[in-house]
Amino acid sequence: MAQQPLLSLPEFRNVSTGTLVVKEPLNFWGGQRVKPKHAKNAEPVYQPSTGSVLCDMIPCVEEEVDQAIKSANSAYLQWRKLSGMERSRIMLEAARIIRERRNEIAKVEVINNGKSITEAEVDIDIAWNCIEYFAGIAPTLSGQHIQLPGGSFAYTRREPLGVCVGIGAWNYPFQIAAWKSAPALACGNAMVFKPSPMTPVTAVILAEIYKEAGVPEGLFNVVQGGAETGSLLCHHPMVAKVSFTGSVPTGKKVMEMAAKGVKQVTLELGGKSPLIIFKDCEIENAIKGALMANFLTQGEVCCNGTRVFVQREIMPQFLEGVVKRTKAISVGNPMLQDTRMGALISKPHMEKVLGFINQAKEQGAKVLCGGERFVPSDPKLKGGYFVSPCVLDNCRDDMTCVKEEIFGPVMSVLPFDTEEEVLERANNTTFGLASGVFTRDIARAHRMAENLQAGTCYINNYNVGPVEVPFGGYKMSGFGRENGQVTIEYYSQLKTVVVEMGDVEEHF
């Protein structure tokens, strides 16, 4: 009897905060969910908004990883033979299904991740947009014809890599799975995806949707696990590429492991991005931009502009406005449409964020608002991992809160005087994922964009990420790109074919 997809099961219908408990296996390969070999090293996965157990994450062992990769390779051998148009039709169907089930997927994402439903719905929209975008690119993949002397010629073929591994992060579970799989599949590859052990559920929903849309069984597989499972994936000889989203230390390990097999790697790592607000800005837009740069997904966003540099002349006006709006952010039940901030991913992470705030105070920063554990009035949320959004004033460049990635709802505000000074300070970091500038001076805006050492520079906005636009880092924030046409380069390889139309010249 065929398995019912997760979203068709009774427990996944009309889910609400604290109600969902997942007992189904969350590995997926060969076109179906696969029961773990054993329950060794099982870890509880918690619902961030309630602290209750959502499911057990049972890591895949070597035999299971091998099965998933071999399943992917078998599917790849079929998928690579399809034309770009044939692949496109199936991907467009997957995008359609996601669009149709957007609300149901978003609710599961909220329960697994803790973010607000309004944000989760946008994440699901971005996911299907991404698949739709790369479905459009699939039929356009082509090589080049080069005319050579004497009627001879050469041509290039753009070919897939094979089995690619995607390793996701917990802040955008479904969206990252789509960002990695869409270009991989468009180019003719298969993918084995390992979600974060803290958010194991929604990647399986994506796998089931790809199957329903018509991909060969095994083309997109999901294996659960932590560092050990990730290591097995990176070392497997049948894996051609690894795309990783996560921390810098783990990214270094992934790169080291992939290097042993000379595998291609894309790394999207951490950030401590600068947001620079000049005195000639439109101040209300700058305040809204600072909130967008710091408080989306409870501040758990790698490209957040958490170092907010404000020109001294407008600092009092900026602080007054940003504190007023921060205090008004609705924190609480993430399933409610009027909630604007949900819960942090875990209790240890919440304690880590609160520790950063306490350390900032010890080093001389002034808390203008927030920065404390928040307990909603709803009794079922008493055990949730909520933190009130925090604005820190009186910050210096040498403070820990300014140098290190906090990954929580904490905005550090710093004064500056001149463009030259703030540019030097903004670039004085090992990270380089994003940056932002608010100014009405168009020449200054483009001058700053040119000189900021980051993979993205937002001008008069922040944290907007259309799927048509490449995303990735400079320096220790990683390399390679996700989204945009250029991503095709990271999921394909070129073969040169040289055709002689005459006789071979005699040299011997």
Side-chain angles (χ1 to χ4, degrees), residues 230 317 353 431:
Q317 185 182 358
V353 170
F431 296 112

Side-chain angles (χ1 to χ4, degrees), residues 23 48 92 168 183 292 294 329 412 417 467 472:
K23 298 293 187 182
L92 285 171
M292 288 289 289
N294 282 270
I329 293 172
S412 299
D417 293 300
V467 296

Side-chain angles (χ1 to χ4, degrees), residues 311-484:
Q311 205 154 21
R312 201 176 300 275
E313 291 89 333
I314 61 166
M315 178 68 92
Q317 185 182 358
F318 173 82
L319 287 176
E320 181 184 359
V322 86
V323 168
K324 181 181 178 182
R325 292 186 69 113
T326 300
K327 286 180 176 178
I329 293 172
S330 173
V331 183
N333 188 342
M335 280 293 187
L336 301 179
Q337 284 289 335
D338 61 353
T339 297
R340 286 297 170 266
M341 185 176 290
L344 298 181
I345 188 65
S346 69
K347 186 175 182 180
H349 185 64
M350 176 187 69
E351 291 170 347
K352 181 182 175 184
V353 170
L354 292 171
F356 270 112
I357 296 167
N358 288 330
Q359 186 179 29
K361 289 191 285 188
E362 291 169 2
Q363 293 178 351
K366 182 180 179 183
V367 176
L368 299 184
C369 64
E372 298 175 334
R373 183 166 187 179
F374 178 80
V375 181
S377 57
D378 186 337
K380 67 175 176 282
L381 304 179
K382 297 290 186 186
Y385 316 130
F386 297 91
V387 172
S388 53
C390 177
V391 177
L392 297 176
D393 187 20
N394 202 36
C395 296
R396 303 183 312 273
D397 292 357
D398 63 347
M399 287 179 172
T400 305
C401 65
V402 176
K403 293 191 297 183
E404 295 186 17
E405 187 174 33
I406 297 174
F407 226 60
V410 183
M411 180 193 303
S412 299
V413 185
L414 306 103
F416 76 92
D417 293 300
T418 68
E419 179 182 327
E420 294 74 21
E421 167 217 335
V422 76
L423 184 63
E424 182 179 349
R425 292 168 65 193
N427 287 333
N428 185 24
T429 174
T430 58
F431 296 112
L433 192 52
S435 59
V437 179
F438 276 82
T439 179
R440 289 174 178 170
D441 184 333
I442 189 169
R444 172 189 281 150
H446 290 289
R447 193 164 59 239
M448 293 294 289
E450 178 186 356
N451 290 296
L452 283 164
Q453 296 167 3
T456 297
C457 181
Y458 301 102
I459 295 175
N460 293 330
N461 208 334
Y462 206 95
N463 270 342
V464 287
V467 296
E468 304 94 327
V469 176
F471 178 75
Y474 281 16
K475 300 193 281 190
M476 289 182 74
S477 289
F479 53 80
R481 291 296 179 266
E482 294 186 305
N483 293 338

Side-chain angles (χ1 to χ4, degrees), residues 214-247:
V215 304
E217 291 186 354
L219 194 72
F220 181 79
N221 295 331
V222 178
V223 297
Q224 303 293 345
E228 190 174 336
T229 305
S231 176
L232 292 168
L233 290 166
C234 291
H235 283 120
H236 199 285
M238 292 179 74
V239 169
K241 178 202 169 74
V242 181
S243 177
F244 170 79
T245 298
S247 70

